[in-house]
Amino acid sequence: MVNRQAWNQIYAKHHANGHWRDRNVNGMFNQYECHFHFGFWKSAFNIEPDRPNPDFGTYLKTRCNP
């Protein structure tokens, strides 16, 4: 569960930021989880609160960017 521990640290540090507050936190977690497990080919990635939150299979099909 290294990814969950890392996510918890990210969330604790940034959840009060105006870009996160009252946003799609579950969708941001799914983006993070997809990149954590499958985005190793990317040199960098952004977690975007305005992205939709489809099922996880859609995250995989769209290379973590639905």
Side-chain angles (χ1 to χ4, degrees):
M1 280 275 189
V2 172
N3 63 320
R4 181 56 87 163
Q5 291 170 343
W7 170 257
N8 289 343
Q9 290 177 358
I10 291 167
Y11 181 82
K13 183 174 182 178
H14 298 288
H15 78 278
N17 181 294
H19 295 289
W20 283 50
R21 194 173 309 130
D22 300 324
R23 295 295 187 114
N24 183 10
V25 175
N26 190 52
M28 288 190 288
F29 172 74
N30 285 336
Q31 289 175 63
Y32 171 81
E33 180 117 349
C34 187
H35 282 96
F36 183 90
H37 290 292
F38 305 106
F40 48 84
W41 70 89
K42 296 182 174 189
S43 60
F45 64 88
N46 295 311
I47 295 176
E48 302 168 273
D50 292 328
R51 285 206 177 261
N53 184 25
D55 62 276
F56 198 72
T58 300
Y59 278 94
L60 297 178
K61 288 180 210 171
T62 59
R63 303 184 89 182
C64 304
N65 293 305

